[in-house]
Amino acid sequence: MRRASLAVVAWLVASVATAATPAERDLSAGWRFRLAPGAVPAIAQKAPTDWQPAIVPGAVQTDLLALGRIGDPFWRDNEAGLQWIGLADWDYRLSFDIDAAALKRGHVDLVFEGLDTFAEVSLNGKKLLAADNMFRRWRLPVKDALHAGSNTLLVHFQSPIARLQPWLLKQPYALPGEFDSSFGDEPKGKQTSNYVRKANYHYGWDWGPRYLAAGIWRPVRLESWDDLRLADFHLAQARVDEANAHVDAQFDLRADKAGPVKVAVTWTAPDGTHGAQERDVTLAAGENHVAVPIDIERPQRWWPVGYGDPNLYRFHATVSAKGASVAEVDRETGLRSVELRREKDPWGRGFAFVVNGVPIFAKGANLIPFDSFPARVTTERMEAILHSARDANMNMLRMWGGGTYQDDAFYAAADRMGLMIWQDFMFGGAITPYDPAFRESSRIEAVEQVTRLRDHPSIVLWAGNNEVQTGWESWPDREDFRKFINADEVRRLDEGMRELFGKTLRRVVGDLSPQTPYWASSPSTDFDGEANVENDGDFHYWKVWSGSEPISHYLDVTPRFQSEYGLQSFPVMETIKAFAEAGDMQPESKVMRAHQKFANGDGNQRLLLYIRQEYGEPKDFPSFVYLSQVMQAEGIELAAEHLRSARPRNMGSLYWQLNDVWPGASWASVDYFNRWKALQFHAKRFYAPVDVVPLRRDGKTEVFAVSDRTADFDATLRTRVYDMGGKLLSEQSRAVKAAALTSTSVQHVDDAALLKGADPRHTVVAFDLVEQGKTVAHHLLYFAAARDLALPQPELGTTLRDSGHGIVLTVGAKRLARAVWIDTGDLDVRLSDNAFDLLPGESVDIAIDGKVDIDTLRHALSVRSLVDALKEGQR
């Protein structure tokens, strides 16, 4: 269910005693926009100064694009030439009619769900609002400003840079931010983003472009009501266990006058059973908080994916007077308990999510916004990304703090899919001001967002920010900044951040959603000591990639919960063709550097560094793209499986990142078009409920049976050693007991015992976990980096057939095939598997999901392996 504000779904009333027809009017259609008068001539030449059609919800950039006034913001290097849009002021105008009957209602409210960001709102020439927070909802009583007939609503948006830069340049210092502009619109080290409650990523990030959007980015409407409004309905889960769920159905009612009403709640369980509870109350004039206690025996609890069904209950609430319904609302939620368990143990202090009493190893990724312009993200597109996460055996996504809070539909979809959401408040790493006005605006924002989202069982954590504490403590620019300002100002800034993230936001969550844990910062120890340490709290690890350390160093850290780590890659060639021409297809071309945001384009050299370390020299640009994905997938697999093998010492692996805001090089495992990179296919395997993990260090291998199952099971560990040409050199099996909800070490073996004299450059080991004759986990082990192996030409073969339930592709190899990649060109199909190794003589069947016939697929199909991507002499 797409949960709107209660006033949208509630029946509003004319009085406590008499029901009236509800009135709610969408004001999204009919808007027009223009460049605000007074723009500098250089900008005025580029933009419409007369009124032009606008799309609401939307943004200036997307309106200009729809008019054909600008090129595609994502095409080639168009970004640089479109920065003027964020430096200009813009006007939006709507004319709409109101009849006399509507004006007889007791209240008429104008509701903006989101204004981005500095916005002055006036109605019929009367100023109503000066908005300054993108993340807030604005409810404005407008009855006195309306008149019968035509009315004019005007919203003036001011550029945050034009508004704040003159002020900032007069200040004794500028707070450290995130990424300086590459386009000269702000001086280096003078970032305005710290001082405004606007999505940080709009100012540019190391995975996305700089587009300072402005506009009415969420719906706008008129709401008419009389004496009573149901402002909120909340299902507070006081206690949920296997035997009983105690829920307080809480009504927030705003009444103009006192009077008796009946509040009632009915509920329906996933299996169709139902119940009801009601209460007679007398409302006072003003704000009323009414609770109806509900007890549900043997509740069908909500579980994360892999641990049970994500059961959802439907609740229907009514407010009635003298037998007539005067307000109604529906809500869907899951009944569950969640705990962030931080027990002391031999490794320090733990960090584990416990749902319904079961410790859950968090498997997933970080989620960034779905687009540079959030208003154009459809529910279908968003849900497709979430399906990709679930299909890759993920059970948690971290909604990163530099973007936006998502629409209700996002959290409703996560509820249905059983995906746990770690929800950051929207603070992306920049040091925050300590002034009371900024803190109060942030507090109101938090109250509105927690109130809106608290009935979603998928939200298992609210976190104050991304990397604010660790940045303040340890980043070089912050260290230099602390030396530059005086000690008293350092103390005020430090205390301001502790007040905002350690107290203010914590109180909001504790007051409004006490059943959901709060965490002050990511990474942190919740202000219980230094941030980003291995033995306590969550951990961000970036020495690999950002620090250029070898991928093998992932094995050197074992934190309690690793909430960020990552390696980059390029998307597939079809996605690259969506933003580049044939002449751009070189790593250091102007366009490829423009779509590589790490280190201002130098990230492509970082990619080549890791590709060369592990694999060798790419023979051409498509091979560079392919090898970047192989490197990313195999590197993150090593890290993730190491973390899983360390359970319960480690209880979470969230790699950076799941998705993209635009097409380009990044850490994403699914690209802007939701095309799976190699990493996403690997994640489907390394996040499987059961995994076999061989970790090789210093010539010795330890093998782990990793299980998310809630019961022990018996299995056989089969070890086969092959010559890469196809000869089976040895085979052995041993019985193992895979313990529930943990990692079990099942074998220690050194290279000599495995090789028995065989050449390690020509040898591969297959580890299989077999249960009742079926392989439930499979992993290959090599004795050197791929560039140092004597990889044979595998002689891959393919066949296509119609199974009666769809097309099946069979891929086989005569000899060992490393990093097989199946490419289907521009066909809109999804493969059940890809990016895998094949043992000599092995074949695999792959289901093709999509509307395509065999002949078309055969024409588009190509298959490659690692030896096809390297320059001569390196195979």
Side-chain angles (χ1 to χ4, degrees):
M1 180 183 76
R2 184 182 178 91
R3 177 187 172 192
S5 70
L6 282 174
V8 177
V9 295
W11 277 263
L12 306 175
V13 298
S15 68
V16 171
T18 306
T21 304
E24 182 260 312
R25 179 176 174 183
D26 180 38
L27 293 183
S28 297
W31 285 87
R32 303 181 76 82
F33 84 114
R34 70 176 181 184
L35 181 70
V40 297
I43 290 179
Q45 293 175 2
K46 301 177 181 179
T49 56
D50 56 334
W51 292 103
Q52 296 291 325
I55 299 171
V56 171
V60 174
Q61 286 87 346
T62 51
D63 285 334
L64 291 169
L65 180 63
L67 290 175
R69 301 295 291 262
I70 62 171
D72 182 351
F74 295 168
W75 176 246
R76 303 191 75 224
D77 56 349
N78 279 356
E79 179 191 2
L82 298 178
Q83 294 306 304
W84 60 270
I85 302 170
L87 298 174
D89 293 355
W90 300 89
D91 291 332
Y92 279 72
R93 185 182 72 182
L94 176 69
S95 295
F96 61 98
D97 290 336
I98 289 287
D99 59 29
L103 295 177
K104 292 180 180 179
R105 303 301 295 267
H107 302 266
V108 182
D109 292 346
L110 175 64
V111 181
F112 287 98
E113 292 290 334
L115 293 168
D116 183 11
T117 292
F118 289 117
E120 294 182 357
V121 179
S122 61
L123 179 60
N124 295 327
K126 180 180 179 180
K127 184 177 178 180
L128 302 175
L129 171 69
D132 60 356
N133 188 323
M134 176 181 179
F135 307 116
R136 286 191 55 189
R137 172 190 295 158
W138 306 96
R139 175 179 291 274
L140 311 171
V142 294
K143 181 178 178 179
D144 292 343
L146 290 167
H147 51 245
S150 180
N151 293 261
T152 301
L153 181 59
L154 183 67
V155 185
H156 173 74
F157 290 97
Q158 188 175 8
S159 162
I161 292 178
R163 175 172 174 141
L164 293 176
Q165 262 300 331
W167 168 83
L168 182 57
L169 292 174
K170 297 176 183 177
Q171 303 309 304
Y173 62 80
L175 291 170
E178 279 290 344
F179 298 97
D180 282 321
S181 173
S182 301
F183 305 108
D185 50 348
E186 291 193 286
K188 300 294 184 185
K190 300 287 185 180
Q191 299 175 24
T192 57
S193 60
N194 305 56
Y195 303 92
V196 57
R197 296 304 298 137
K198 177 176 172 61
N200 290 160
Y201 83 107
H202 282 177
Y203 293 82
W205 218 263
D206 56 4
W207 36 254
R210 181 180 176 92
Y211 280 120
L212 271 76
I216 305 169
W217 75 288
R218 281 189 164 162
V220 55
R221 62 185 178 274
L222 279 177
E223 295 180 5
S224 301
W225 55 287
D226 289 304
D227 291 338
L228 179 68
R229 183 166 70 88
L230 178 56
D232 188 55
F233 174 68
H234 169 47
L235 296 157
Q237 300 182 31
R239 186 186 70 256
V240 177
D241 55 32
E242 185 177 10
N244 182 269
H246 179 75
V247 179
D248 280 330
Q250 299 177 353
F251 297 73
D252 284 336
L253 296 161
R254 298 178 185 178
D256 286 348
K257 55 190 178 183
V261 297
K262 183 189 294 291
V263 293
V265 182
T266 61
W267 54 264
T268 304
D271 64 1
T273 59
H274 54 85
Q277 196 73 11
E278 62 183 36
R279 179 183 172 192
D280 292 317
V281 297
T282 299
L283 299 182
E287 305 288 336
N288 293 264
H289 182 77
V290 178
V292 178
I294 300 170
D295 284 293
I296 300 174
E297 294 184 0
R298 308 296 298 178
Q300 298 162 58
R301 289 176 291 178
W302 183 92
W303 290 94
V305 61
Y307 291 84
D309 294 328
N311 293 307
L312 296 174
Y313 280 71
R314 298 191 305 276
F315 291 83
H316 179 72
T318 61
V319 182
S320 58
K322 295 184 178 180
S325 173
V326 294
E328 300 185 27
V329 65
D330 291 293
R331 181 76 78 249
E332 193 170 54
T333 192
L335 305 179
R336 57 98 178 98
S337 66
V338 59
E339 171 195 357
L340 182 58
R341 186 171 292 173
R342 299 187 65 210
E343 296 176 341
K344 292 184 177 180
D345 56 29
W347 306 292
R349 191 174 183 186
F351 187 102
F353 290 92
V354 179
V355 179
N356 299 327
V358 178
I360 309 293
F361 188 98
K363 303 179 299 187
N366 288 262
L367 195 71
I368 64 172
F370 298 101
D371 200 289
S372 292
F373 310 107
R376 67 180 182 180
V377 177
T378 64
T379 298
E380 292 74 21
R381 179 175 158 199
M382 172 271 297
E383 287 186 350
I385 299 289
L386 293 185
H387 277 291
S388 285
R390 187 192 63 183
D391 291 348
N393 289 307
M394 296 182 186
N395 60 28
M396 176 178 278
L397 297 172
R398 174 180 172 234
M399 179 55 68
W400 167 79
T404 65
Y405 307 95
Q406 294 301 307
D407 286 348
D408 300 289
F410 167 85
Y411 302 96
D415 294 343
R416 294 192 302 271
M417 295 182 198
L419 289 170
M420 297 181 291
I421 302 298
W422 167 320
Q423 178 66 53
D424 283 1
F425 285 100
M426 291 300 116
F427 296 88
I431 302 305
T432 52
Y434 57 74
D435 63 279
F438 182 90
R439 188 182 308 131
E440 177 62 9
S441 178
S442 301
R443 185 194 68 81
I444 297 171
E445 165 195 323
V447 166
E448 293 179 351
Q449 295 297 340
V450 173
T451 299
R452 176 174 72 96
L453 299 174
R454 58 186 173 175
D455 282 332
H456 289 287
S458 54
I459 297 178
V460 297
L461 184 75
W462 283 94
N465 65 72
N466 169 74
E467 294 186 342
V468 172
Q469 183 188 355
T470 190
W472 177 244
E473 292 176 350
S474 61
W475 293 358
D477 67 324
R478 273 69 165 160
E479 293 175 351
D480 293 341
F481 173 76
R482 291 200 303 273
K483 296 174 184 176
F484 171 75
I485 62 176
N486 63 57
D488 287 342
E489 194 68 354
V490 170
R491 176 183 54 78
R492 283 188 285 268
L493 284 165
D494 186 79
E495 289 177 351
M497 287 182 281
R498 288 176 179 271
E499 178 66 32
L500 176 58
F501 301 118
K503 297 179 182 179
T504 302
L505 299 181
R506 190 187 305 276
R507 280 194 296 265
V508 170
V509 175
D511 290 344
L512 298 175
S513 187
Q515 77 280 3
T516 307
Y518 175 80
W519 191 244
S521 184
S522 180
S524 80
T525 55
D526 203 30
F527 284 130
D528 188 19
E530 183 182 353
N532 212 37
V533 294
E534 288 187 59
N535 64 349
D536 190 2
D538 69 316
F539 191 72
H540 293 188
Y541 183 67
W542 285 107
K543 289 184 178 180
V544 177
W545 181 265
S546 293
S548 300
E549 292 191 359
I551 288 172
S552 62
H553 285 198
Y554 277 134
L555 299 178
D556 296 340
V557 293
T558 310
R560 309 317 308 266
F561 191 107
Q562 194 149 296
S563 47
E564 277 193 25
Y565 63 100
L567 291 164
Q568 267 203 5
S569 72
F570 264 80
V572 296
M573 289 299 298
E574 284 303 313
T575 295
I576 295 173
K577 292 174 185 177
F579 68 80
E581 296 176 342
D584 302 324
M585 303 296 181
Q586 294 296 330
E588 291 302 302
S589 72
K590 184 178 180 181
V591 169
M592 290 305 149
R593 288 182 61 87
H595 283 254
Q596 166 58 271
K597 292 301 179 181
F598 179 76
N600 294 315
D602 291 342
N604 291 338
Q605 289 302 313
R606 188 68 52 85
L607 276 171
L608 282 167
L609 169 72
Y610 280 107
I611 289 170
R612 288 163 177 158
Q613 283 181 354
E614 298 295 325
Y615 305 98
E617 193 69 26
K619 71 177 183 181
D620 52 25
F621 182 73
S623 297
F624 161 73
V625 169
Y626 158 81
L627 287 170
S628 76
Q629 290 201 22
V630 174
M631 179 274 297
Q632 179 194 38
E634 295 189 350
I636 298 302
E637 177 177 272
L638 177 69
E641 293 195 321
H642 162 59
L643 295 171
R644 291 193 73 190
S645 76
R647 179 177 182 167
R649 179 177 177 179
N650 176 273
M651 285 299 290
S653 162
L654 304 180
Y655 65 74
W656 188 269
Q657 65 210 53
L658 177 64
N659 62 310
D660 272 330
V661 298
W662 80 327
S666 81
W667 294 265
S669 56
V670 300
D671 70 22
Y672 179 73
F673 301 107
N674 195 26
R675 292 175 174 135
W676 284 28
K677 296 184 184 180
L679 172 55
Q680 190 73 5
F681 287 102
H682 276 244
K684 184 178 180 180
R685 296 189 288 270
F686 65 65
Y687 279 155
V690 174
D691 196 11
V692 59
V693 178
L695 296 179
R696 181 176 175 271
R697 298 179 179 93
D698 303 322
K700 298 179 181 179
T701 297
E702 184 173 9
V703 185
F704 300 86
V706 178
S707 176
D708 291 336
R709 295 184 186 177
T710 56
D712 299 349
F713 68 96
D714 294 319
T716 299
L717 176 67
R718 183 177 64 195
T719 305
R720 293 173 292 162
V721 183
Y722 284 91
D723 175 88
M724 292 180 183
K727 183 180 179 181
L728 178 64
L729 302 178
S730 66
E731 180 175 359
Q732 63 175 1
S733 296
R734 64 170 61 190
V736 301
K737 179 175 286 291
L741 298 173
T742 197
S743 169
T744 305
S745 178
V746 295
Q747 186 179 21
H748 290 79
V749 60
D750 60 26
D751 289 354
L754 287 171
L755 288 166
K756 293 183 172 60
D759 185 346
R761 296 177 66 249
H762 292 266
T763 307
V764 59
V765 185
F767 295 96
D768 295 284
L769 206 59
V770 181
E771 181 186 22
Q772 296 180 352
K774 180 181 178 181
T775 300
V776 293
H778 169 75
H779 210 299
L780 299 186
L781 176 73
Y782 301 96
F783 294 94
R787 63 176 182 161
D788 297 322
L789 297 175
L791 294 173
Q793 181 57 249
E795 293 191 42
L796 294 167
T798 63
T799 59
L800 289 166
R801 59 185 172 85
D802 189 337
S803 69
H805 302 285
I807 298 174
V808 174
L809 167 67
T810 301
V811 180
K814 290 185 178 180
R815 289 171 286 278
L816 178 80
R818 275 293 305 270
V820 175
W821 180 256
I822 304 158
D823 194 300
T824 57
D826 61 355
L827 296 181
D828 185 19
V829 297
R830 173 68 55 81
L831 280 63
S832 62
D833 202 3
N834 206 346
F836 48 79
D837 294 358
L838 286 175
L839 287 168
E842 188 178 23
S843 65
V844 61
D845 289 340
I846 297 164
I848 307 295
D849 183 18
K851 296 181 179 179
V852 64
D853 60 75
I854 286 181
D855 288 340
T856 301
L857 181 59
R858 182 178 292 111
H859 180 75
L861 186 70
S862 64
V863 183
R864 71 187 308 169
S865 72
L866 197 59
V867 295
D868 303 315
L870 302 173
K871 284 187 175 180
E872 294 291 339
Q874 297 190 60
R875 301 174 183 175

